[in-house]
Amino acid sequence: MNIIDLHCDVLLKLWEAKGSIRFAGGPDLQANKVRLQKGKVKVQCFAIFIEPDIPSDQKFQAALGQVDYFYKEVLGKNPDMLHIKEWSDFDRLKIGQIGAMLTLEGVDAIGNDLLKLRTLHQLGVRLVGLTWNNANLAADGAGEPRGGGLTLLGKEIVAFNNEHKIFTDVSHLSDKGIWEVIELADYPIASHSNARALCHHPRNLTDEQAVAMFKKDAMIHVVYHPPFIKETGEATIPDLIKHIDHFCALGGVKNIGLGSDFDGISQFVVNLEDASKSQNLINALLKYYSEDEVRGFASQNFLNHLPEGT
């Protein structure tokens, strides 16, 4: 069963390695092309993520460097990778092709310059998260003790996303920021978050936030990172499925997807250590849910929630 995965950090690894690893089959990549093919990942979203210790005046250049690796290493050397740059491109995917879409994990790279965000959008970014765990000029992240919400710049970014039919990602935001995005965004989404009721971590969503997301018909994509699944930090596929069960019980059966976080994690769910193992999760889900429901979790729910038009 084909999968759409909303989050991986392959680009960060490619950029940091400066050409010493290859996307096509690099063993250091949990979501390389060979593993995506084996796991039947039909579309992979590739995050642009800038480490907090990168100097401010170098952050946008680092983002462009990761985009460059996306174009030359992911797309340029693999003609069977199709760049998803418009929402209609999902319909263009052919048998044997894998779709590749750029996302932005935190807007640190743009500073306070919306022209830089416009540039990244023109390069193909179709999902934008305002923060990573730290605070920036747009909002407070999940790890910022202050717990503030969106700044005026953050609200301008949400307005930009609405105008251009870009998803605004609540994963990594502070609780206050999440509530403000749910209110302001036309296309809110959680690209890689679990249920806080099952694992009390600030990166996870409360039941109230999840219900509000579902009432707005927004997607929540569960993440495979064990510390977000169980507080012990050790997790199995059934443990991950409990988060899907929980979101379904809150009314989200048609609003659940997958966001692995491969290449951004160093701890793994047992039998879900890289993209090649993705069908282990699908097969386990089929024991508890109908084929249509599992196909929804795997890809169809997301496809049903694409913004209309380009």
Side-chain angles (χ1 to χ4, degrees), residues 14-274:
L14 291 174
W15 179 74
E16 289 181 336
K18 304 304 180 192
S20 63
I21 58 177
R22 293 285 175 261
F23 169 70
D28 296 324
L29 294 176
Q30 298 146 23
N32 65 33
K33 188 180 76 171
V34 171
R35 286 172 170 162
L36 292 176
Q37 290 171 326
K38 186 174 181 180
K40 297 183 180 179
V41 179
K42 187 64 174 176
V43 176
Q44 180 64 62
C45 291
F46 292 83
I48 302 164
F49 171 65
I50 309 304
E51 295 280 10
D53 59 354
I54 299 291
S56 296
D57 61 351
Q58 298 176 27
K59 288 181 184 289
F60 188 62
Q61 192 62 35
L64 293 180
Q66 292 183 31
V67 173
D68 186 51
Y69 275 100
F70 177 77
Y71 272 88
K72 71 183 181 185
E73 181 64 32
V74 175
L75 299 175
K77 297 181 180 179
N78 300 282
D80 48 354
M81 300 292 295
L82 176 69
H83 188 186
I84 302 291
K85 198 172 181 180
E86 310 294 347
W87 297 123
S88 58
D89 290 337
F90 282 91
D91 296 328
R92 295 176 48 222
L93 274 169
K94 299 176 181 177
I95 294 174
Q97 287 184 318
I98 297 175
M101 189 176 87
L102 282 172
T103 68
L104 184 61
E105 186 173 22
V107 296
D108 299 49
I110 73 166
N112 63 352
D113 188 351
L114 286 178
L115 177 59
K116 292 178 179 177
L117 181 60
R118 187 178 300 276
T119 299
L120 292 174
H121 171 251
Q122 290 169 343
L123 289 169
V125 167
R126 291 297 177 269
L127 179 150
V128 172
L130 297 178
T131 68
W132 186 60
N133 293 331
N134 52 299
N136 59 23
L137 296 179
D140 279 2
E144 170 55 55
R146 177 178 52 187
L150 275 58
T151 63
L152 291 177
L153 174 66
K155 293 176 182 179
E156 286 185 65
I157 291 169
V158 174
F160 177 92
N161 292 346
N162 291 345
E163 178 185 355
H164 294 89
K165 298 184 178 180
I166 300 170
F167 285 109
T168 300
D169 190 1
V170 302
S171 292
H172 283 290
L173 267 175
S174 66
D175 281 344
K176 187 176 181 182
I178 289 172
W179 283 114
E180 290 180 347
V181 166
I182 291 172
E183 177 186 356
L184 297 172
D186 292 342
Y187 312 103
I189 198 167
S191 67
H192 57 307
S193 295
N194 290 337
R196 200 179 300 180
L198 299 186
C199 181
H200 193 77
H201 193 289
R203 273 283 286 101
N204 287 338
L205 299 171
T206 67
D207 285 0
E208 294 77 13
Q209 289 164 347
V211 169
M213 291 281 284
F214 297 148
K215 284 183 177 178
K216 198 155 181 179
D217 203 22
M219 291 287 295
I220 296 175
H221 291 247
V222 296
V223 59
Y224 306 173
H225 190 35
F228 301 162
I229 299 171
K230 285 185 72 177
E231 290 171 26
T232 62
E234 299 176 358
T236 63
I237 288 176
D239 292 327
L240 177 58
I241 290 175
K242 288 178 183 177
H243 287 263
I244 294 175
D245 292 341
H246 189 79
F247 285 139
C248 284
L250 297 176
V253 67
K254 296 182 183 296
N255 297 80
I256 297 168
L258 306 176
S260 69
D261 207 4
F262 283 137
D263 292 298
I265 56 178
S266 56
Q267 297 172 261
F268 306 99
V269 174
V270 177
N271 293 321
L272 198 56
E273 293 86 0
D274 61 56

